[in-house]
Amino acid sequence: MTTQRSGAASWADAFQNILKLEESHGFDNKAVMGGLDKFVARWAEEMASQAGGSGDETFLLKESYDSMSAKVRAQWVAQWRESLAAPLDNERDTATAAKPAPAPPKKKPAAKKAAPAKKTRYKPPSPEVTVDAPVDRLRGVDTKLSARLKRLDVETIRDLLYLFPRRHEDYSTSVKISELTPGEECTVVATVWEAREIAKGPKGRRRDTEAVLSDETGNMRVIWFGQRYLARSLKPGSRIAVSGKATVFRGQLVFENPEHEMLDTAGSGVHTGRLVPVYPLTEGLTRRNMRRLTWQAVENWLGGLEEALPDEILARTELMPLLDAVYQAHYPKEMETWELARRRLAFDELFTLQLAVLTRRRMQHDNVQGIEIAAPANVIDAFYEKLPFPLTNAQRRCIQEIETDLRRGTPPMSRLLQGEVGSGKTVVALSALLSVAAAGYQGAMMVPTEILAEQHFQSIGDLLGGLARPVQEPHLISVYLEHMDRPVSVGLLTGSSRAPAKRELTKMAGDGTLDILVGTQALIQDGVSMPRLALAVADEQHRFGVMQRSALQERGRENPHTLIMSATPIPRTLSLTLFGDLDISTIDEMPAGRQEVATKWLEPEQRDTAYGFIRKQVEDGRQAFVVCPLVDESMTIEAKAATEEYQRLSQEVFPDLSLGLLHGRMPAKEKDKIMRQFRDGELDILVSTPVVEVGIDVANATVMLIDGADRFGLAQLHQFRGRVGRGQHKSYCMLLSDTASETAKERLSALARIHDGFELAEVDLELRGPGDFFGTRQSGLPSLRMAHISDRELLEMARNEAARLIEEDPGLKSPEHAAIAAQVARFVDQASANVA
């Protein structure tokens, strides 16, 4: 008997849970794999015994559950739940005492000032499922719809709850038919007078629904194009709400394709009479479908989200509680409430990102012993005195910040040095490298191309020009610094370095007698070691992967300091986001005498004028760049387009001049050869794809012509412009665009107007967003759905709160921070997926 009771309790308990779940799903027959019919077949004998005395044939499931209407299913489920409740109370009580059911997630108390006017109780989902359940747990979501949602990155119910609307349409104003104003968004509540299907289009192939609606003030016509099924569902006498804009057709008010909602059905008030959400869509998904799904998720599953922010952070920030924020982000009471919701959700994104960045930084720094650099002050001061120009205040400030890090030693410096082309980053980096050499250690500088390595080596030679040189070779120089008892040696190592030079430099680096090594990725090849490496400098940061920078640091035996240089001015908002694990030094002041490049946006018909201007400059002894349009499809197509443009220009436009071609598909040696020819004056015009952005200094180049300028971002255009104006001659940048959107026109006119790189970077970010600033794959940013780049105050608040929390709980190990830790893990996974 005990066994029998146990078996009965077993199937009955399972059945109770299934029925409960089925009810919460709206009787969609998805509560159990294979449907309820399969479960009933398995336990038919026990169920017949249980139902024996009911006297109701439907109670025994005479027809399949799958074939029942939703109404009959609801009745059948209610009967079974009632039948099962009484006999099994004792067993259930016993089971509950043995193992308490998981409590629904607790909702944090609202912050005092930001709680929405209307408090809502959110029903948690069934204990058997979570918001991380697949999205097909929602009513009406089958395999096909799941695949469509996946295209929107929606795979779980949590994903759907966080798929926020792109905007809201304001249908909250309700008017009578007699009060309608053509062209104004509104909602009309009326009675269906009649509805019929009408044939339209060629041969009557299109079937529309036409309806007449009325209220106590008048009537109006409504037409839904291509939606013949509505004629059957709009029953005369039923109440309906329609939202949209009325138009006048042949003297009559007409609504064309309005949103509509039957007011005698469950879930009314989703599509009309409110601020109606407009979601991102994909093929096969309609606006109404998306609203039905998000409404279902918000109504039935929102309670499964857990408030991650501790009470004290909510109190300090006065932000809206999470559940209220998600609800109001989808279905706000008013736009002011939506903005409060957006602010909370934006804070969550920035807070989580900052936690991820600060956690990574702590991991990099914790228990990592750095090298204390104590360079004699008089040595570096003597170097400054010998410079052929005075340092700017911005350069002095950056040098001081770097020197402070080097003297501290632990943790090792991780610093980003940013400043636009020509701002003087090289001398700042050289100052740090000389400090390291004067303290008896080694330094290395890695750049992305051979021509840039040669350029840096030459620049360093020029900066040290006022000092005596016992050695002066193409790959090695040494100079005497005042107050030092030995010369400082600087070497150049690239893939093209001759074997004897490579052997000499590798030997000197390995035995510690080479102080500074400048080069390309050859620096991180096997066989190159710098046992006393104390400072690794990487130029043009976003051209190197993290692994390459790490490999450079590993050339030494200890943990070297890292200085990363970038010529792309990065706005503070983005730098805190992208480089939150780095300290940032900014050279925001240009050296005296740096000329402003005249910039002009040309109309398509002025192309020949631009070519004529280039010819005149070349006749005056100058040189020019021509940058070909960016081709999105692939680097191969881009190279082909550049090759064709090069042939056209050299054969048809400038047949008497010397032209060179540069594109991304060329071997590195070929690229370097072309750039050297241009630098040495052997070429009049360099035709190039965007690879010239990280290029060479050619003092004689005075013209930059950018074709298809509307396809580039402001930061990139500014980089192109920085390739000219490096010498004493007046320089020019011409922007050619055959077609341009309004946003592109705004970008181009901003470039012509603004010459400050940091101001341009802010404008570029506002116009294009963070994902496109470097290109999505390069940025490594998870998509920020609610945070705006203008949320500077919110970002500072998020960073401060994140720093405070990491200080209190470095590994986020505390149980009360488990939800935050899970949030950070999801965020990092998304970022990794974006970079992959």
Side-chain angles (χ1 to χ4, degrees), residues 197-215:
E197 183 182 321
I198 56 175
K200 290 284 185 180
K203 299 181 181 179
R205 287 177 183 167
R206 196 185 77 216
R207 298 284 176 160
D208 303 337
T209 291
E210 185 179 68
V212 176
L213 309 183
S214 66
D215 65 10

Side-chain angles (χ1 to χ4, degrees), residues 458-707:
Q458 180 65 45
S459 296
I460 288 172
D462 292 344
L463 291 169
L464 299 173
L467 304 170
R469 303 188 183 194
V471 177
Q472 173 74 59
E473 294 183 30
H475 66 282
L476 180 67
I477 58 174
S478 67
V479 297
Y480 279 109
L481 293 177
E482 287 186 34
H483 311 295
M484 277 190 69
D485 56 5
R486 64 175 183 84
V488 172
S489 54
V490 184
L492 171 67
L493 181 63
T494 70
S496 298
S497 297
R498 296 184 179 277
K502 277 185 184 175
R503 281 195 298 271
E504 182 183 4
L505 291 174
T506 301
K507 181 179 182 302
M508 290 177 68
D511 62 24
T513 56
L514 183 65
D515 296 297
I516 299 168
L517 184 56
V518 178
T520 56
Q521 292 184 43
L523 296 189
I524 59 176
Q525 290 171 353
D526 291 339
V528 179
S529 70
M530 301 183 75
R532 293 187 62 74
L533 182 67
L535 174 62
V537 179
D539 192 18
E540 290 301 341
Q541 175 275 332
H542 62 281
R543 306 286 162 175
F544 289 112
V546 175
M547 298 305 294
Q548 291 166 312
R549 296 204 304 271
S550 298
L552 177 59
Q553 291 173 306
E554 288 164 10
R555 295 300 95 187
R557 292 174 186 162
E558 299 185 68
N559 298 304
H561 301 279
T562 306
L563 180 65
I564 294 165
M565 301 200 295
S566 175
T568 304
I570 303 160
R572 176 166 172 73
T573 315
L574 191 59
S575 63
L576 279 174
T577 306
L578 279 178
F579 306 117
D581 55 334
L582 303 173
D583 294 309
I584 299 171
S585 292
T586 302
I587 305 179
D588 50 9
E589 179 185 359
M590 295 297 279
R594 175 82 162 125
Q595 64 163 291
E596 196 172 90
V597 176
T599 306
K600 189 169 179 60
W601 174 27
L602 303 178
E603 298 290 344
E605 56 270 20
Q606 294 177 283
R607 180 178 291 274
D608 288 341
T609 306
Y611 292 153
F613 184 78
I614 288 176
R615 178 174 290 280
K616 186 175 185 311
Q617 287 287 304
V618 172
E619 288 171 355
D620 290 343
R622 308 285 86 78
Q623 292 165 280
F625 290 96
V626 175
V627 176
C628 296
L630 180 71
V631 178
D632 291 330
E633 287 88 340
S634 74
M635 192 180 283
T636 304
I637 296 173
E638 195 172 83
K640 181 174 180 290
T643 303
E644 290 171 357
E645 178 66 0
Y646 164 73
Q647 289 170 347
R648 187 185 74 82
L649 290 173
S650 55
Q651 293 169 14
E652 299 175 21
V653 183
F654 304 112
D656 53 328
L657 301 181
S658 176
L659 278 69
L661 172 65
L662 198 65
H663 62 72
R665 299 290 293 176
M666 295 168 72
K669 285 189 177 181
E670 184 68 16
K671 283 187 205 170
D672 283 327
K673 177 186 172 186
I674 296 294
M675 287 197 280
R676 280 192 192 93
Q677 287 178 332
F678 189 61
R679 180 191 64 189
D680 297 342
E682 296 171 22
L683 300 173
D684 299 313
I685 300 170
L686 182 61
V687 180
S688 173
T689 60
V691 296
V692 77
E693 178 193 349
V694 178
I696 46 170
D697 293 340
V698 180
N700 193 47
T702 57
V703 182
M704 169 63 70
L705 173 64
I706 305 169
D707 207 343

Side-chain angles (χ1 to χ4, degrees), residues 138 145 148-149 152 154 160 163-164 270-271 277-282 284-297 330-331:
L138 295 174
L145 188 51
R148 288 169 180 162
L149 288 167
L152 296 173
V154 173
L160 186 60
L163 181 72
F164 298 116
V270 176
H271 308 290
V278 178
Y279 292 96
L281 298 176
T282 187
L285 271 175
T286 66
R287 286 185 176 191
R288 291 179 72 83
N289 280 343
M290 283 303 297
R291 282 195 288 269
R292 283 195 195 100
L293 294 174
T294 56
W295 179 260
Q296 191 185 151
H330 287 281
Y331 295 97

Side-chain angles (χ1 to χ4, degrees), residues 374-428:
N378 54 358
V379 172
I380 305 303
D381 289 342
F383 160 66
Y384 296 149
E385 289 171 10
K386 296 288 185 181
L387 284 173
F389 52 80
L391 293 172
T392 65
N393 290 332
Q395 286 172 316
R396 291 183 182 280
R397 184 186 68 247
C398 292
I399 288 170
Q400 184 59 47
E401 289 167 352
I402 292 166
E403 293 291 342
T404 300
D405 287 352
L406 295 178
R407 279 196 300 272
R408 185 187 62 228
T410 298
M413 174 177 74
S414 290
R415 186 170 286 278
L416 173 71
L417 174 64
Q418 62 167 349
E420 50 185 305
V421 174
S423 62
K425 296 184 297 297
T426 304
V427 71
V428 174

